[in-house]
Amino acid sequence: MQKKLLKEKFIGALVGTFVGDALGMAVEGYSLERIKADYGQIDHMLEARLGSGTYTDDTEMMIGVAESLASVGGFDGEDMANRFIDNFNLDRGYGGGTIQALNNIKAGTSWQEAGKHIFGNGSFGNGSAMRVAPIGLYYYDKYEELKAKAKKSSLITHAHPLGKLGAALQALVVGYVINQDPRQNLSQGDCLKFLANTLEIEDTEFSHKLKITKELLANKPKPEEVARKLGNDTRVFSSVPTAIYSFLANVNSFSEAVMYAITLGGDTDTLGAMTGAIAGAYHGLNAIPQKWLKSLENKEKGLDYVIELGEKLFELK
Ligand code: RVK
Ligand code: MG
Ligand code: MG
């Protein structure tokens, strides 16, 4: 692949996370029916908690993952955990399990232990998958390492086996589409087969959901059916497959994919962020509408900073 295109794709994955998160933020927690009734399709940045075009914990933590990879030159759990703590701003809206894990680290628990006992045997919230795109980029040319590092990055806050598997699945799909040329037709079937064959998901919620994804893609169902069968909540197995579906069902357009994911309702910022990461990694920065980019926050650690992080990760490769 041409270097120029690959660079666009690296930046696209990070900015895609940001755009999807920002677009979904204002309607986080709304039902599909309410979004449909109040907005129809969400095609512009609505006024949100922290202002229009602002981001939530999804992007704040993705920035931490990217900063750590870029400064260390690869995965380092302690460094990454410290970035999460340094960047942490409660107003961005964090999940309870993640707050607890980061507090444990601040109190002296190691990053390997901090998330082990949250919700009993670790969290399977989508918090470690929503932030993981930079790992998909950094290890896009080594899938075994990609999976291992994604799981380790999850361990910091999401130690449950399903939490780790969900982060690995999201990183893997990002890595896979980085390797695909957007000018050639992506095969939905090949993508799903690759994911099922490359990740140890047999007999888990994920293998079940990827089977449903394949069936839904063949049937072109209403969004209601997609949300009901794949899920739209904060559990990782009820959101990563939904993001993969949103991307594959709208594979020719970054904006269609992200808008589709958000109109499913529920955890809209995160469905937007994860779908934006995948679609951005596939299409590249140029496919993201200018009107969306222009309305993103751009003060400290805003749009320009996220673009720079994408450039840095690309140059390191
Ligand atoms: C505020 C039972 C479990 C579980 C387990 C469920 C931000 C819980 C982002 C929990 C994302 C939820 C979101 C989220 C990310 C997890 N047994 N239930 N073992 N593990 N859950 O708290 O960072 O929005 O219902 O770890 O993953 O935008 O409340 O947080 O939408 O998953 O938060 O898991 O959340 P947490 P997180
Ligand atoms: Mg969020
Ligand atoms: Mg969310």
Side-chain angles (χ1 to χ4, degrees), residues 82-262:
N82 286 330
R83 305 262 169 195
F84 292 156
I85 290 168
D86 288 348
N87 289 340
F88 184 85
N89 172 1
L90 187 62
D91 294 340
R92 299 281 185 189
Y94 277 75
T98 294
I99 295 175
Q100 236 178 292
L102 296 182
N103 280 338
N104 289 345
I105 296 169
K106 268 198 265 182
T109 310
S110 73
W111 66 271
Q112 294 98 330
E113 295 294 321
K116 278 214 171 136
H117 305 296
I118 287 163
F119 299 116
N121 52 352
S123 172
F124 51 63
N126 55 20
S128 61
M130 72 190 186
R131 69 185 186 219
V132 83
I135 297 210
L137 306 181
Y138 198 85
Y139 297 102
Y140 83 100
D141 49 353
K142 314 171 201 148
Y143 291 134
E144 284 308 310
E145 225 179 324
L146 180 155
K147 290 189 294 179
K149 303 301 187 193
K151 287 180 186 172
K152 281 198 170 173
S153 76
S154 178
L155 183 59
I156 303 171
T157 50
H158 293 69
H160 193 285
L162 288 172
K164 293 194 279 185
L165 210 49
L169 179 59
Q170 172 69 11
L172 191 60
V173 67
V174 167
Y176 179 77
V177 301
I178 281 283
N179 284 303
Q180 311 304 313
D181 189 327
R183 293 161 301 200
Q184 281 157 15
N185 277 339
L186 183 104
S187 155
Q188 298 169 330
D190 286 354
C191 178
L192 291 174
K193 235 182 263 164
F194 167 82
L195 296 173
N197 292 340
T198 310
L199 198 61
E200 299 68 30
I201 57 170
E202 259 167 72
D203 299 323
T204 68
E205 193 76 15
F206 293 107
S207 58
H208 171 64
K209 288 282 173 74
L210 289 188
K211 271 187 210 127
I212 298 176
T213 298
K214 191 177 167 200
E215 287 162 17
L216 291 171
L217 285 168
N219 297 336
K220 301 203 178 3
K222 286 192 173 155
E224 285 82 351
E225 189 181 341
V226 174
R228 182 163 42 80
K229 290 191 170 164
L230 292 178
N232 62 1
D233 61 61
T234 60
R235 294 169 305 167
V236 71
F237 43 79
S238 305
S239 48
V240 171
T242 317
I244 294 172
Y245 176 87
S246 299
F247 164 67
L248 289 175
N250 301 279
V251 73
N252 292 320
S253 161
F254 175 89
S255 53
E256 292 294 330
V258 170
M259 288 191 295
Y260 181 88
I262 289 166

Side-chain angles (χ1 to χ4, degrees), residues 279-291:
Y282 180 59
H283 294 286
L285 179 67
N286 283 337
I288 303 179
Q290 274 299 327
K291 63 168 185 180

